[in-house]
Structure formats: structure tokens, C-alpha cells
Amino acid sequence: MAHEAATRPLTLSEQADELEEQMMLELNEKIATKSVLFNMGDGKVEMESGPALMAKNPGKYFLMGADPRLPKMPDKPQLIDFFKHRFASMNHLLQSATHALKGGHSEKVVLACLLHDIGVASFIRCDHGYWGAQLIEPYVDEEVSWSIRVHQALRFFPDESVGYGYPDMYVKYFGADYRPEPYIVEEYKRARNHKHYMTARLICVNDIYSFDPNAKVNLDDFVDIIGRNFKQPKEGLGFDNTPSSHMWRTLMWPTRFL
Ligand SMILES: [Fe+2]
Ligand SMILES: [Fe+2]
């Protein structure tokens, strides 16, 4: 009943709808869309049809470019631009890379540490090692991308030779009974004898959250290492026609209709 709806407090989903409408309005003339994955988190495996969205937003077209709610990206974006404008939790990456740098490791190890969790920081947590590796594969030495791919598995397995134990944090996060999925166990077994095993292992050793909170970390410290070890395309990431260009474009324009 309309009267009842006007007087009772809004339910959570009504509040969400209202917020969504407000956000749509802020876009003003374009309709931004949400992915199925986005809605799934709210228990809805569905997507609103084009006609339904159009009917809700009379006189508007769908967004087919940059989302004005997001930080502006340059026309030819480089890795640093994604760090600054798209990656969340840059601190963990900088801390890990700084730790590796101070440990005197090679530039490839430092770069691997700097990029190891960009899957989480940009896309999605699930299988972050694989997403992260795929993003950077065309631009780095195979040692770097391979190590990022398998660090996800190696994190679950101790290696006493470098003083790496099963993370206490994982016991806290996943429970003492948690056992990695079989595909992770298989990945670990394959990685164990790989020529770049130690680079991936060093990601785990430097993968820390308990870094001195007063230590200063700065992306500027890594600009030269990125310059020497990450082939930045002159067209900009996303416009260089590699197997991962589309992934960079999605990071740039996540709410494009198509
Ligand atoms: Fe990770
Ligand atoms: Fe990490």
C-alpha cells in the first residue's frame, strides 16, 4: 500500500535502489550498467535488460566510454596510471616490493612483489594470481608473470629452506581445518621443480602485512624498475592489441554497456 510504504522505514533493498537511482542521476545523461558478477554478490543472478533500463531512464543513452564517477585516465594509460587511479590497497604492494628491494633481490623479484596482488587490487579476489599474471604477461619477463601466477598456490605451502611457514593469517582467515583445493595442490607440485620456483617463493617471503607502519613507501621508488622491466606500449595499455588489452580496457571503463 502506498501509504504504508511512505511511513515505514525503507528496507535495505529499497535503500539500495534509492542509492542506485541517485548514482544514476549523478551520471546525468548516460546510463551506467552493472555486471552480472556485481549483482551476484547481492544474491541476484540476473541482469537488467536494455529495454528495462531505458524505460527507467527516459531520454538517456547507455554509457559507452569513461564513467564520470571514476578518476580520469589519460588517453594512453601506463602501468603507473592504473596504480594511481584504479588499484586499491597499493600499500600492501609497495610494502612487499620495498621489503624485497631492501633484501637485495633482483629487479624481477622486486617487480613480481610489486605486482603480485594486482588481481585482487583491480579485479576480483578469486584466483587473483592467475588474473594478475594474465594481465601483465605480454609486458614482463616470463619469470615475473609465472611467479605471480603460482604465488597464490605457494602461499599455502611452507618452505623451511627460506624460513617460510604456513601463514598464521590464513589460520585466522580460513580456519585451522582449511585445506587448499586440489588444483592448488597440483599447482604447487608443478611449481616445486620449476626453474623460477624461487622467484615465486620470494613473493611469498616478502608478502607481508606486518611491515613497519612508520616506514615510508612510495611508488616513485619503483618507477625506474618498472621502466626497465615492464614494456609499456606506446599506444597505452588497453590499445596495444595484446591478449590482455581487453582486461586493461575493462579496468578503465568497467561500466560500459558493451
Ligand atoms: Fe597474493
Ligand atoms: Fe600479497
Side-chain angles (χ1 to χ4, degrees):
M1 273 186 288
H3 175 71
E4 187 192 66
T7 50
R8 67 171 164 73
L10 294 180
T11 66
L12 272 184
S13 96
E14 283 165 349
Q15 282 176 34
D17 286 349
E18 203 154 88
L19 185 71
E20 186 179 336
E21 263 200 64
Q22 233 172 46
M23 282 162 70
M24 291 248 193
L25 285 178
E26 275 162 28
L27 273 183
N28 246 332
E29 33 195 67
K30 295 287 164 65
I31 309 165
T33 50
K34 290 176 181 174
S35 67
V36 171
L37 275 176
F38 186 105
N39 288 321
M40 206 179 283
D42 298 326
K44 299 185 259 183
V45 186
E46 59 187 36
M47 58 180 195
E48 219 160 357
S49 73
L53 270 171
M54 285 295 260
K56 259 196 196 168
N57 299 271
K60 290 188 187 180
Y61 292 115
F62 286 110
L63 182 69
M64 282 301 281
D67 187 326
R69 296 168 301 180
L70 304 183
K72 211 172 157 8
M73 293 288 279
D75 292 339
K76 296 176 179 176
Q78 302 296 315
L79 181 63
I80 300 278
D81 300 309
F82 284 91
F83 260 98
K84 288 184 178 160
H85 305 307
R86 288 296 184 272
F87 296 171
S89 70
M90 193 156 83
N91 225 35
H92 169 62
L93 297 175
L94 290 177
Q95 286 184 351
S96 302
T98 302
H99 202 251
L101 196 62
K102 286 187 176 157
H105 295 295
S106 73
E107 291 200 346
K108 290 201 180 91
V109 169
V110 174
L111 185 72
C113 290
L114 183 67
L115 301 178
H116 77 281
D117 279 343
I118 60 169
V120 175
S122 67
F123 261 125
I124 195 162
R125 287 185 174 275
C126 173
D127 271 329
H128 74 288
Y130 298 83
W131 283 110
Q134 200 177 353
L135 257 173
I136 61 167
E137 213 147 36
Y139 313 104
V140 296
D141 192 283
E142 184 233 341
E143 179 178 345
V144 176
S145 51
W146 182 87
S147 303
I148 290 179
R149 176 174 295 112
V150 304
H151 95 273
Q152 181 184 329
L154 260 51
R155 285 285 267 135
F156 292 98
F157 299 90
D159 182 344
E160 276 160 26
S161 78
V162 287
Y164 180 84
Y166 184 83
D168 294 338
M169 193 181 73
Y170 282 8
V171 177
K172 223 195 265 173
Y173 280 8
F174 312 128
D177 298 341
Y178 177 74
R179 297 289 173 270
E181 299 279 330
Y183 84 96
I184 290 286
V185 178
E186 288 306 313
E187 188 76 278
Y188 166 69
K189 285 189 200 154
R190 282 194 300 271
R192 198 71 189 82
N193 298 311
H194 193 278
K195 62 180 170 181
H196 297 316
Y197 167 76
M198 200 35 84
T199 305
R201 181 50 82 185
L202 284 170
I203 295 179
C204 304
V205 172
N206 289 285
D207 194 351
I208 40 160
Y209 291 84
S210 52
F211 196 75
D212 174 5
N214 300 314
K216 292 256 176 299
V217 289
N218 196 327
L219 185 58
D220 293 341
D221 296 345
F222 302 100
V223 169
D224 290 345
I225 291 180
I226 291 172
R228 284 190 290 270
N229 297 278
F230 190 98
K231 295 178 218 105
Q232 316 234 27
K234 59 178 186 326
E235 305 89 337
L237 287 165
F239 306 108
D240 52 335
N241 194 30
T242 72
S244 68
S245 293
H246 62 289
M247 296 168 72
W248 296 100
R249 288 196 302 271
T250 297
L251 289 180
M252 229 178 323
W253 300 321
T255 51
R256 258 175 61 159
F257 189 65
L258 292 177

